[in-house]
Amino acid sequence: MDPERPVRSPIEPVNEREPVPVPRSQVTVKTVLTICCTVVGVVAAIYLLIHGIVTITLSVTAVLLAVAFNHGVERLERWGLRRPLAIGVVMSVVLGAIVGASFLIIPPTVAQVRDLVDRLPELNERMHQTQLFQWLDARFRIDQRLGSLGTGNTGLLQWAVNPAMRLLGGLVTGAGAFLTVLFLVVFMLAYGGRVVRGVLAESLPAHRQRYERVLGKVYHSVGGYLSGLAIIGVVNAVFASLFLAIIGVPFFLPLGILSGLGSLIPLLGATLAGFVLCLVALASGGPLEAVVVFVYVCCYQQFENHVLAPVIYKRTVELNPLVTLLGILLFAELAGVLGAFLAVPVVGACQIVIRELLLLRRERLNLPLKGDVAEQLEKRGLRRPPFWRRPRHA
C-alpha cells in the first residue's frame, strides 16, 4: 500500500457516480429459516405432547418394563440361552404369573367387591352412627359436603353401583393398553439394544465413554427400582390381607390388593390406601377395629421405610423426598395414576443426567469431583467478583 496515497473513509463516496457502500446485513436467509424452523419444531413438539400424552405414557411404560425385564434376559444369556429364547422364557414367566394370579385372586376379589357394593348402604348407615363421624360432622359438616351417599338418583352411591358401561369401557381401554405395552416390550427387548448401540457408535470417541456410563447408571437404577417396587408391593399386599383376615375385617382381599397397589406410588399411595383401610374398618367393626388397623398401617410403614426399602433399594438411585413429591404431582397431573407410578424412575434418570452434566462442568474447570465449587475457585484465585465490584466499561 502506497503511504503517500490518502485513505478515504468507508462512508465517503469514491467519486460522484458511485454510491456510498452500505455495510452488509448480519441477518441472512439461513438465519431466518433456522429461526422459523425452530419455532415450528417447538410448536409441533408442544402439540404432540398435548395430544399424544397417552402414546407417550404407554411408550415410557414399555421402556421401563423392558429395562426391568432385560435384567432377567441377560441373566439367562449368561447361563447359555440365546437372546430370542431368553426373551420368550422371561415373557412366558411374566404372563404365566399374571394369568395364575388372576385365576387365584380375581374370582374371590370380584365376589368380595360385589359384596362390598351390596353392603355400601349398610356400611354408610353404620358409619353415620359412630361417635367419631358425628363429632366430625358437627364441626365440619361432612355430610353436607359429601352430599347424599345412599339416596337419590344423583348420589355417589348410585354412581358407584351402576357403572356397567363405564366399567366395560375401562376394561376395553385397559386391555388395549396392556396389549400395546406387551408388544412394545417384546420389540424393545429384541431390537432396543441394536438401536442404543447404533446411536452410541455415531458419538465421538471422546464422549462415548461418558454416554455409556450414563446409560449404564440409568439402566441399573431404573431396573433395580422397578424390581424392588414389585417386591415391596407384593409384600405389602400379602401382609395387609393376612392382618385384615386375622382381625376379621371383611373384604380383606380387595383391601389388601389396594394396599399393595398403594406401595407403587411413593409417599402418597400408602397414605391413601391406609386411609381407605381405616375407613372400612371403622364402618364394619367400629372405632376399636379402626384404631387397630391404624396402628398396623403406621407400624408397617415404619418397617417398609426403614427396613425393607433400604435393603431392596440399596443399589438404586436415592431421591430427595421433596423432588419425589413434586415429580409425582407433576406426572400425576399429566398422566393420572400411571404418571404418578412413572414419576420416580423418570425423575431418577433425570437426576443421573444432571449429575453427569455437573461432573462434566467440574472436569472442564479442573476442579475436584467433590466439594464446594466457590471455595475451590477462591483457593485458585479464579472466583468471579460480585457485580458491584466488577469494572465498568468506559
Side-chain angles (χ1 to χ4, degrees), residues 101-112:
S102 301
F103 279 106
L104 291 176
I105 297 176
I106 288 181
T109 303
V110 170
Q112 291 191 11

Side-chain angles (χ1 to χ4, degrees), residues 67-200:
V67 169
F69 294 159
N70 194 56
H71 288 270
V73 173
E74 289 183 344
R75 179 166 297 183
L76 292 178
E77 284 184 308
R78 288 195 295 267
W79 291 350
L81 292 180
R82 297 176 62 85
R83 186 169 183 83
L85 183 59
I87 294 174
V89 171
V90 170
M91 298 307 298
S92 300
V93 170
V94 172
L95 292 177
I98 294 175
V99 172
S102 301
F103 279 106
L104 291 176
I105 297 176
I106 288 181
T109 303
V110 170
Q112 291 191 11
V113 169
R114 186 179 302 169
D115 188 18
L116 174 61
V117 172
D118 293 337
R119 292 184 57 186
L120 271 178
E122 177 188 351
L123 296 176
N124 178 44
E125 185 65 26
R126 294 181 61 178
M127 185 177 64
H128 278 69
Q129 294 176 358
T130 59
Q131 295 181 357
L132 177 60
F133 185 87
Q134 293 176 0
W135 181 81
L136 292 174
D137 184 51
R139 286 160 176 77
F140 303 105
R141 299 184 181 274
I142 298 178
D143 203 5
Q144 292 183 0
R145 295 177 182 274
L146 295 179
S148 179
L149 186 62
T151 60
N153 295 328
T154 60
L156 181 61
L157 180 61
Q158 185 71 20
W159 178 85
V161 173
N162 298 316
M165 297 302 297
R166 190 178 298 106
L167 179 61
L168 180 61
L171 289 176
V172 173
T173 304
F178 175 78
L179 292 177
T180 302
V181 171
L182 178 64
F183 279 102
L184 285 176
V185 168
V186 173
F187 277 89
M188 288 179 182
L189 288 175
Y191 304 106
R194 301 178 187 178
V195 175
V196 174
R197 289 191 294 269
V199 173
L200 289 177

